[in-house]
């Protein structure tokens, strides 16, 4: 398990990415989804993460909606743990669904991304929840800043 967590940590540290472009321009409403898969110390952080995300986004110019046909904003956390360590992958993505054509000319219904940011946090189980929530909040704030810049 320690080897798996070590490989996950190193891989993500070397492959972290973020992109935002004019793909966010003109988008005013997002349907928010917050999901935490896995547990650390027997605890799942979905409700705390959702409350925090809604608070931060609610204090921005971004409007949240319940309509599924709008742009999707997803905060996703995946956690793996053992007795000594919890490691989590954090993603903040926005996308919408539409018909897409692949390189062979076949059409299908799929996600069209407009923003992606990937992060990682590992720590001891005692303070992992606080570190994950702080990292997620920072990533959401970064999304808001990049969204504001795209609106110019």
């Amino acid at each position: 398990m320690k080897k798996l967590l070590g490989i996950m940590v190193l891989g993500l540290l070397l492959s972290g990415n973020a992109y935002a472009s004019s793909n966010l321009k003109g988008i005013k409403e997002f349907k928010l989804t917050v999901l935490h898969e896995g547990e650390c110390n027997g605890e799942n952080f979905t409700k705390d993460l959702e409350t925090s995300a809604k608070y931060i986004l609610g204090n921005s110019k971004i409007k949240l909606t319940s309509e599924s046909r709008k742009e999707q904003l997803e905060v996703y956390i995946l956690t793996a743990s053992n007795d000594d360590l919890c490691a989590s992958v954090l993603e903040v993505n926005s996308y919408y669904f539409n018909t897409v054509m692949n390189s062979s000319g076949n059409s299908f219904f799929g996600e069209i991304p407009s923003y992606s940011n990937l992060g990682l946090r590992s720590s001891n189980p005692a303070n992992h929840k606080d570190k994950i929530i702080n990292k997620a909040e920072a990533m959401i704030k970064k999304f808001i800043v990049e969204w504001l810049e795209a609106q110019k």
Side-chain angles (χ1 to χ4, degrees), residues 57-123:
L57 291 163
N59 286 300
S60 73
K61 293 182 179 183
I62 292 174
K63 294 179 185 172
L64 297 178
T65 183
S66 60
E67 288 185 50
S68 296
R69 292 177 288 160
K70 297 290 184 178
E71 184 86 7
Q72 307 292 306
L73 177 59
E74 180 179 80
V75 179
Y76 176 75
I77 315 292
L78 175 62
T79 299
S81 65
N82 62 22
D83 294 336
D84 302 326
L85 181 68
C86 291
S88 296
V89 176
L90 298 91
E91 292 181 86
V92 174
N93 301 307
S94 76
Y95 55 89
Y96 65 96
F97 293 102
N98 205 343
T99 303
V100 181
M101 187 175 297
N102 65 16
S103 60
S104 66
N106 295 322
S107 295
F108 62 95
F109 192 71
E111 292 179 8
I112 299 175
S114 52
Y115 179 86
S116 181
N117 189 0
L118 178 67
L120 174 74
R121 178 65 69 194
S122 63
S123 60

Side-chain angles (χ1 to χ4, degrees), residues 34-46:
V34 178
L35 180 62
H36 177 213
E37 291 188 58
E39 295 180 342
C40 177
N41 220 12
E43 192 172 12
N44 183 286
F45 317 143
T46 300

Side-chain angles (χ1 to χ4, degrees), residues 10-23:
L10 288 174
L12 290 169
L13 285 175
L14 298 174
S15 67
N17 67 341
Y19 69 85
S21 66
S22 60
N23 292 341

